[in-house]
Structure formats: structure tokens, C-alpha cells
Amino acid sequence: MTEHTCDYGLFQSLYYPCRHALATCATSSIEWGYFVDPVYTMTSVFKVYEREFLSIPDEKMWPPCYGARLKPNSAFRRKASGGPVSTQIWNEMDAIERVEKKCGLCHGEGHNRRGCSNASHSDP
């Protein structure tokens, strides 16, 4: 604890006690604030905002940007129905024998219950 190190390297990289160091402090009744780097204190954070921020000039005065252009990933597009587009690559193992759907009323093929000519369309 006095060396401000831990086996995971978090203590050394963040300069803030990791949960293992905090657990050690709790079991040993040691004040954990001693092990926190001064950069995390409120006075240090407030010093960042003491300086005045310069206003952003008009966009016409900005230099041209020649950075990378972003292209949307078509895999994340949504279908018109609102569901995501499938990215599955089908092969012969995924082939399914498509069976013609049958009508729920007359069990005829080529139409469904809504388009059945044998259905009675009278309203009760």
C-alpha cells in the first residue's frame, strides 16, 4: 500500500486505489483518501475551469477538413418493416424445402384465409 502498487497495474496507471486496495484499507482501518493522487481533488478539477475558453469563430473561417469520410455500415440498416437486415450468409446446408402455404379454411394451396373464395363474407 505504501508503494502505491498493485498486481493488476490499476493503482499505478490511474493513481487511484483499485477495489483491492480499498478492501485492504477497509479491513486495516486505514483512510483511503491518502492513496488518491491530488489530480482527483476538487481544487485540481476547478483549476481546469479557471481559464477562459475562447469562443468558436464563424464556420466560414474554419480551415477545410480533409479527414476520413464516414460511410454508414449497410449491415446496420433497417428494413422497411423496422427489423434489422439479416447478415447471415446462406449456403446449401441452410437450404429449406419451401412448402406452399395452405388456406386455414379450405386447406387449398395458393391463397390464405383472407383471400379464400370459400369464406363467408357476411358480417354478424
Side-chain angles (χ1 to χ4, degrees), residues 52-120:
E52 184 178 335
F53 290 97
L54 300 175
S55 62
I56 299 173
D58 188 22
E59 283 189 44
K60 295 174 188 169
M61 298 175 63
W62 292 2
C65 178
Y66 299 109
R69 291 195 174 256
L70 299 179
K71 182 180 177 187
N73 187 349
S74 61
F76 292 117
R77 282 191 61 187
R78 292 201 170 262
K79 295 186 295 186
S81 63
V85 176
S86 174
T87 58
Q88 180 177 2
I89 299 172
W90 292 84
N91 60 21
E92 59 275 355
M93 290 178 57
D94 296 319
I96 302 170
E97 281 190 37
R98 303 234 178 219
V99 179
E100 182 100 20
K101 293 185 179 180
K102 294 184 177 183
C103 174
L105 292 175
C106 69
H107 301 289
E109 293 182 354
H111 64 278
N112 58 14
R113 187 182 290 244
R114 188 179 304 164
C116 184
S117 58
N118 298 330
S120 61

Side-chain angles (χ1 to χ4, degrees), residues 1 11 17-36:
M1 291 294 293
F11 213 163
C18 61
R19 62 178 171 219
H20 306 98
L22 293 173
T24 304
C25 289
T27 57
S28 304
S29 300
I30 299 172
E31 177 61 38
W32 61 271
Y34 168 74
F35 300 104
V36 177

